[in-house]
Amino acid sequence: MSYDVIVVGAGGMGSAVAYQLARRGARVLALERFGIAHDQGSSHGFTRIIRLAYFEHPSYVPLLARAYELWEELERSSGESLLHITGSIDAGLPDSRTVTGSLHSCQVHALPHDVLTSGELSRRFPGYRLPGEYMAVLQPRGGFLVPERCISTHVAMATRHGADVRTEEALLGWEATAHGVAVTTSRGRYEAGQLVIAAGSWTGALVPALAPILSPERQVLAWFDVADRALHSPERFPVFNLDLGGEHWYGFPEFGTPGFKIGCYHHLREVVDPDRLDRSAVTAHDMSLLHSVVGRCFPAVGSEALLTKTCLFTNTPDEHFILDRLPGAPQVVIAHACSGHGFKFCSVVGEIVADLVLHDRTRHDIALHRISRFPLA
């Protein structure tokens, strides 16, 4: 059977792309080398932050506004609960990138927010105890998504609209043809007019021209026991981004599994091969790093880790995404390289990539995410 589009990868991005294409009537084949909502890549861990004010760059904010709309639309059409609003905290010293960037996004886009001192934050949310000189930008619409359920829902809805979703089937290679592309997998060969590669940390192996600008990185998350669960419930503990001690931290209320969840962006800065990473190995050094901030900033959190998980970031040099057609192979669209902050955008990335595939343009501003910003061999 010939398809209009083959989507490689059915994780956060690929599942959304498959859904958006299928709902518009495209004949879609989605190939996933593992199972649906697996824990081998970048889209697991029970909770993922979503926030409107974006310290990384204000041009993300309109994309986020649309992402919220699409997540809520997916909830309505599927009956699933995917998006949980807790409020979100961007905190650090007054001149830190997290605080200044968040405030800038709020000002540029007129976003509701409060600016709190450390003491004001603790009085409002007693689970926090940041250093006295710190500030926090509180955004009322921040919260978290449930990533495994988001992926499963996108896949289920894609299938409902006619997509052919195949799991445990790895892409071995692809080639341009007179009519589009042909792909070879561990189970067969398929043809389509266009190819979308949303393969996460495996993208560099599938598209060698991009490999020099893609860095798969090991990331470790931990869930620590809490003395007072009420202080870390979604109703009383906003998600956070925090600049502290030269590192950037992020965390969540207790949800989906016992414990307070925390991670450090770029963790130990280890570039890894996704096929050789031991995902079960978490070291004392990993835990020492994560625990270093817990006792300092979160008074009700204990020292015992109830659960740990590893995942993968795939970073570009500027830590912005790649959403574009592949130079030299215009029948191939790349949806990738989210640099550790992409899951919240999956819903709108699905829409953007479907636009590019079906119309070769999108109403969304993706200038920041074009491949042309990098010199490719």
Side-chain angles (χ1 to χ4, degrees):
M1 178 179 177
S2 180
Y3 298 89
D4 296 321
V5 190
I6 297 172
V7 179
V8 177
M13 297 298 177
S15 64
V17 171
Y19 166 59
Q20 287 290 343
L21 285 167
R23 73 184 297 204
R24 301 189 202 184
R27 292 172 298 164
V28 177
L29 170 63
L31 299 170
E32 171 54 57
R33 64 180 290 160
F34 303 109
I36 299 303
H38 61 81
D39 64 356
Q40 301 298 295
S42 307
S43 297
H44 58 282
F46 305 114
T47 49
R48 290 298 175 98
I49 289 175
I50 186 168
R51 51 195 165 90
L52 262 176
Y54 220 66
F55 64 83
E56 290 87 343
H57 197 282
S59 72
Y60 283 99
V61 176
L63 298 181
L64 282 162
R66 180 58 177 157
Y68 272 88
E69 292 175 351
L70 289 168
W71 287 122
E72 291 165 349
E73 177 186 296
L74 185 64
E75 287 184 313
R76 290 191 298 270
S77 60
S78 67
E80 294 284 345
S81 178
L82 306 173
L83 171 62
H84 299 262
I85 300 299
T86 63
S88 61
I89 299 295
D90 290 331
L93 290 168
D95 61 352
S96 66
R97 179 190 177 211
T98 298
V99 171
T100 60
S102 179
L103 281 173
H104 182 57
S105 284
C106 288
Q107 292 158 359
V108 168
H109 296 284
L111 300 176
H113 66 284
D114 292 326
V115 179
L116 307 175
T117 66
S118 172
E120 290 169 337
L121 177 65
S122 295
R123 286 189 288 276
R124 191 177 297 192
F125 304 109
Y128 284 89
R129 187 181 60 203
L130 302 186
E133 67 274 26
Y134 273 42
M135 291 176 53
V137 181
L138 171 63
Q139 307 161 55
R141 289 212 63 206
F144 61 85
L145 295 155
V146 186
E148 290 90 347
R149 189 174 296 170
C150 291
I151 293 167
S152 296
T153 302
H154 268 140
V155 169
M157 295 296 287
T159 302
R160 184 183 301 179
H161 287 280
D164 183 358
V165 180
R166 304 192 183 190
T167 60
E168 308 296 336
E169 187 164 359
L171 179 68
L172 303 180
W174 62 271
E175 60 183 335
T177 68
H179 304 290
V181 293
V183 304
T184 302
T185 76
S186 55
R187 294 186 180 179
R189 178 180 170 88
Y190 311 97
E191 295 187 358
Q194 297 188 68
L195 175 66
V196 175
I197 296 180
S201 292
W202 290 268
T203 298
L206 299 176
V207 188
L210 296 180
I213 61 170
L214 302 179
S215 298
E217 180 183 28
R218 176 178 176 267
Q219 187 71 9
V220 176
L221 302 165
W223 286 255
F224 287 96
D225 196 13
V226 292
D228 187 341
R229 300 211 124 72
L231 293 185
H232 292 86
S233 67
E235 295 76 23
R236 298 188 65 190
F237 192 88
V239 299
F240 69 85
N241 280 269
L242 169 65
D243 276 342
L244 181 74
E247 301 288 358
H248 188 91
W249 309 87
Y250 58 101
F252 303 79
E254 189 173 59
F255 183 89
T257 190
F260 156 83
K261 176 184 173 183
I262 190 166
C264 178
Y265 276 106
H266 304 307
H267 195 63
L268 299 179
R269 295 171 172 80
E270 301 167 277
V271 177
V272 297
D273 180 339
D275 286 319
R276 297 184 177 182
L277 174 64
D278 182 354
R279 290 165 175 78
S280 65
V282 175
T283 68
H285 189 24
D286 293 323
M287 298 311 299
S288 176
L289 172 65
L290 294 173
H291 192 259
S292 66
V293 73
V294 169
R296 185 174 176 185
C297 295
F298 306 102
V301 178
S303 59
E304 180 184 359
L306 303 176
L307 178 69
T308 60
K309 283 187 176 291
T310 58
C311 69
L312 291 163
F313 286 1
T314 306
N315 306 308
T316 60
D318 59 10
E319 297 191 4
H320 299 308
F321 310 160
I322 297 177
L323 304 172
D324 205 355
R325 291 195 178 274
L326 182 64
Q331 64 274 68
V332 179
V333 177
I334 306 296
H336 179 56
C338 297
S339 303
H341 64 109
F343 193 89
K344 61 185 76 67
F345 294 93
C346 288
S347 61
V348 70
V349 165
E351 182 172 78
I352 289 167
V353 173
D355 290 343
L356 295 178
V357 167
L358 298 176
H359 308 296
D360 203 30
R361 64 184 183 279
T362 180
R363 65 183 175 88
H364 298 290
D365 179 5
I366 57 171
L368 194 64
H369 310 295
R370 295 290 191 178
I371 295 175
S372 58
R373 69 190 194 272
F374 300 119
L376 299 183

